[in-house]
Amino acid sequence: MPETRLEIKVFGDPVLRKKAKPVKKITAEHREILSLMAQSMYEGGGIGLAAPQVGISSQLIVADIGEGLYKLVNPKVVKCRGSQAIQEGCLSVPGVCIKVKRAKQVWVEALDENANPVKLEAKDLFACVLQHEIDHLKGTLIIDYASLLEKLRIKRRLSVLKESNKTCKLKL
Ligand code: ZN
C-alpha cells in the first residue's frame, strides 16, 4: 500500500470555512483518516487537529495534550463552565497567535472510532483544545476571535498566507 500523507490546509483554503458534515456511519475509511490525522498532528507538533484542516469536511477530530490520543467523531460541547484565555496557535494559520477567550471547563459528547458513545469532561488546556477543534468543524478560526488591534497586527501575515495559497500550488 502506498504511503498516504495528509496535507495541512492553510488559511485562504475555502475548506477551512465550510461547516463539516456529521458522520452518519463510521467506516474503516474514517478510522484510516483518524490515524493519518493523528500522524499529521504529531508531525506538525500540534496537540489537536480537525478533518477540515486536512481538506476533509467531516466531523472528525484528534487531540493529544500529552495525556493520550483522543479520536472523536461528531463531537459536541453539551455544557460549559467558567472562562479562560490562552494564547492559541493553529497549524492552519502558521505564524499567528491569538489570545482566545473560551470556557474553562467543557462537557463533550462524541463517538469513538468504533461508534461507541464517549462522554468527556475536560478542563483548562484540554478544554481549550477541544473547543478549538470543534470550532474548526463549524468553519471558525482563531483569527475570528482577534481584537481590532490584533487584526491590524496579523493583517499582513494573513494576506501573505492567502497569497501563497493562491500562487504556490506546489507544496513540498
Ligand atoms: Zn486549528
Side-chain angles (χ1 to χ4, degrees):
M1 206 174 98
E3 197 191 346
T4 316
R5 280 185 172 270
L6 300 174
E7 183 198 352
I8 304 277
K9 303 292 178 185
V10 170
F11 177 76
D13 192 311
V15 72
L16 293 171
R17 289 308 197 178
K18 268 174 77 177
K19 276 195 166 57
K21 288 202 173 62
V23 176
K24 287 202 181 96
K25 190 176 183 297
I26 301 169
T27 63
E29 196 185 2
H30 294 107
R31 286 186 281 276
E32 173 73 10
I33 291 168
L34 284 163
S35 25
L36 288 170
M37 282 170 59
Q39 191 189 322
S40 298
M41 171 182 76
Y42 292 127
E43 283 174 3
I47 52 175
L49 194 71
Q53 292 183 274
V54 293
I56 298 166
S57 197
S58 291
Q59 294 186 11
L60 304 166
I61 66 169
V62 293
D64 186 352
I65 60 159
E67 296 170 359
L69 174 62
Y70 287 86
K71 296 172 176 171
L72 301 175
V73 180
N74 302 338
K76 266 181 198 70
V77 175
V78 291
K79 192 177 140 193
C80 50
R81 182 189 286 164
S83 76
Q84 62 178 341
I86 298 177
Q87 292 276 358
E88 296 180 23
C90 179
L91 290 171
S92 295
V93 197
V96 171
C97 205
I98 301 281
K99 199 170 200 176
V100 182
K101 195 177 166 204
R102 302 188 186 275
K104 191 167 173 60
Q105 192 175 8
V106 290
W107 286 260
V108 169
E109 288 183 9
L111 298 172
D112 71 11
E113 60 181 340
N114 297 309
N116 301 307
V118 182
K119 285 187 181 191
L120 288 175
E121 191 187 324
K123 267 197 291 193
D124 305 320
L125 179 62
F126 192 36
C128 166
V129 173
L130 290 176
Q131 291 171 87
H132 178 120
E133 301 316 329
I134 292 171
D135 264 0
H136 274 300
L137 303 180
K138 299 172 186 158
T140 301
L141 298 170
I142 50 171
I143 50 173
D144 302 335
Y145 295 92
S147 66
L148 281 173
L149 276 174
E150 280 174 321
K151 278 189 179 130
L152 282 175
R153 182 170 59 78
I154 62 175
K155 207 174 158 190
R156 174 91 194 110
R157 175 74 193 146
L158 290 182
S159 68
V160 167
L161 287 175
K162 213 169 181 172
E163 212 42 51
S164 71
N165 231 318
K166 258 191 268 166
T167 54
C168 183
K169 287 289 166 213
L170 191 65
K171 290 188 178 120
L172 302 166

